DNA sequence: CGGTTAATTGAACGCATTCAACACGAGTGG
DNA sequence: CCACTCGTGTTGAATGCGTTCAATTAACCG
């Protein structure tokens, strides 16, 4: 019953070593902000414990969730001089924080570049998968794909009877998938009625028919 | 009346130099494939002339356009071992092609890493913008945002009376925006009826009310 | 227990899609 | 030059999916 969604995506070891030495560990409570949208990009963050979401607010108040981050993930790897997204703790979090310049001086420019490259690479993978998810899928498929990725991330949930924990609420799911909470809720009950998944609690589920789920998530 | 959408996004100079020396130039006709979805990532491409689109086909035949690339852009900067998207020439194209290993040997690993980093960085920017576009926008807003980005890319179309050329057809627009061609068409005529833009030809337009367009693209 | 927030469910609406017909333009051959 | 065709784009009408608004239920916490 771990909250680790992607099993063992460890950052490059040189960077980890540098961060373990240089970084200060900070704790964030639920819904606390790790960094703000629009703030200058100065630090590098590594999530040690807990779950973080990145969100972006448009001028007219609509919210888009960028992604969810789990223990081991690197945060704050954005491209421009300012953060395009803000990062907020979904659960209580433990985060290593370090100035970019510090780790650069410690680990060397080349190692730093390689580490950043690796991190950005993963960001790109996420973003591209997100585009595919948002582009041409029905609400049903979006929700199914979301559940599938949650279940895949949870180590050993594939065949085992252990349930998958969802750290995020319905609103976060909706804002990630580009849907309303009502639609998300309807699709979840629909999938449950068809016995594809089962929810013993609001934020805990178990995949019952993996093949059906995969077919839906396409 | 250039087809260059992003004005002067030149790749890192070290890489350009390497490619000018090492790359072989290839020509692609309209709708020819530069590389295929699923093919191993072996080469690096630089678009010298023309326009390229990247597309991804899902198992059930739905198509998502990843992005459009213009002269000066780097192509084939994908993350995994295989191409997630295929790249096709939208117009007749001139492309520099080089094996990744060759440029690595020529320019050095560090320079290569930095160049790749810069390229992936831009890919990430595009993908993130694409997510925002697909997530929580109406058809009207999507189309407006698309026209806006086209117009911004076309050098000096801002105030000038010169029209913007659109190299892609309606189907490509639709598959980029996650809409149907009919909806795209309807939104275009709608925007034209409101005199926000004007289409003297199917693939040529002029922005008439820039403030209205920007407000819509939000 | 109440009090509060989050999630579900219902009904009506509206936006985008679907299916179909039509218009337009470019290219070709009579 | 016109007729014909084919591909592409536009327009219309009807359907349906997801939203919106509203009410209800469930979960959480004092």
């Amino acid at each position: 019953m771990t909250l680790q969604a992607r099993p063992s995506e460890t950052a490059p070891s040189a960077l980890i070593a540098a961060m373990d030495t240089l970084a200060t560990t900070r704790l964030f409570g639920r819904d606390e902000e790790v960094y703000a949208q629009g703030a200058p990009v100065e630090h590098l963050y590594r999530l040690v414990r807990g779950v973080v979401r990145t969100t972006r607010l448009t001028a007219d108040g609509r919210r888009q969730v960028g992604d969810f981050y789990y223990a081991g993930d690197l945060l704050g790897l954005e491209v421009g001089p300012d953060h395009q997204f803000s990062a907020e703790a979904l659960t209580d979090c433990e985060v290593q924080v370090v100035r970019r310049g510090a780790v650069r001086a410690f680990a060397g420019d080349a190692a730093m570049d390689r580490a950043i490259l690796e991190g950005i690479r993963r960001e790109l993978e996420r973003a591209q998968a997100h585009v595919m998810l948002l582009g041409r899928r029905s609400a049903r498929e979006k929700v199914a794909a979301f559940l599938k990725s949650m279940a895949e991330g949870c180590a050993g949930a594939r065949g085992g009877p252990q349930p998958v924990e969802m750290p995020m609420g319905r609103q976060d799911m909706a804002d990630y998938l580009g849907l309303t909470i009502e639609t998300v809720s309807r699709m979840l009950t629909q999938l449950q009625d068809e016995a594809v998944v089962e929810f013993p609690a609001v934020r805990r589920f178990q995949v019952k028919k993996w093949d059906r789920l995969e077919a839906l998530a396409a």
Side-chain angles (χ1 to χ4, degrees), chain A residues 7-68:
Chain A
S8 55
E9 267 198 22
T10 47
S13 55
L15 184 61
I16 295 186
M19 291 205 73
D20 283 340
T21 318
L22 301 171
T24 63
T25 295
R26 288 189 56 190
L27 299 175
F28 294 90
R30 205 170 163 286
D31 283 324
E32 247 188 290
E33 193 172 65
V34 179
Y35 56 81
Q37 176 179 346
V41 173
E42 289 170 344
H43 300 90
L44 209 55
Y45 307 84
R46 197 166 82 98
L47 189 49
V48 176
R49 186 175 47 82
V51 185
V52 166
R53 70 162 172 259
T54 56
T55 62
R56 192 170 146 73
L57 238 48
T58 58
D60 56 345
R62 281 175 287 189
R63 197 177 80 131
Q64 175 71 49
V65 169
D67 225 319
F68 301 98

Side-chain angles (χ1 to χ4, degrees), chain A residues 57-216:
Chain A
L57 238 48
T58 58
D60 56 345
R62 281 175 287 189
R63 197 177 80 131
Q64 175 71 49
V65 169
D67 225 319
F68 301 98
Y69 295 80
Y70 303 87
D73 286 349
L74 254 41
L75 280 168
L77 279 171
E78 294 186 50
V79 289
D82 300 322
H83 284 292
Q84 298 296 307
F85 293 81
S86 73
E88 297 135 12
L90 244 171
T91 66
D92 289 355
C93 283
E94 187 182 331
V95 182
Q96 289 180 333
V97 188
V98 67
R99 306 196 104 261
R100 289 202 172 200
V103 57
R104 192 174 282 280
F106 179 90
D109 267 24
M112 178 69 171
D113 281 351
R114 218 170 306 125
I116 297 256
L117 174 57
E118 190 51 35
I120 299 249
R121 212 187 268 274
R122 281 183 196 150
E123 288 297 303
L124 179 56
E125 266 180 333
R126 288 165 183 249
Q128 283 180 345
H130 204 172
V131 165
M132 292 304 296
L133 188 59
L134 293 175
R136 296 215 160 274
R137 306 187 107 74
S138 66
R140 196 180 152 74
E141 292 169 325
K142 284 180 182 179
V143 171
F146 186 83
L147 293 179
K148 175 167 170 272
S149 74
M150 287 296 303
E152 281 171 348
C154 197
R158 174 67 196 233
Q162 72 195 13
V164 184
E165 291 287 330
M166 290 203 302
M168 70 289 291
R170 298 292 188 261
Q171 187 64 63
D172 285 329
M173 290 180 59
D175 287 340
Y176 178 75
L177 298 173
L179 300 169
T180 60
I181 46 172
E182 294 95 329
T183 301
V184 170
S185 185
R186 274 183 251 273
M187 296 303 120
L188 288 175
T189 53
Q190 196 179 98
L191 290 172
Q192 186 165 332
D193 289 347
E194 297 167 14
V196 177
V197 291
E198 193 181 302
F199 281 81
V202 183
R203 296 193 180 188
R204 180 180 304 134
F205 74 96
Q206 215 174 335
V207 180
K208 288 296 183 185
K209 298 179 181 172
W210 201 277
D211 53 337
R212 296 270 295 112
L213 189 67
E214 286 195 322
L216 275 169

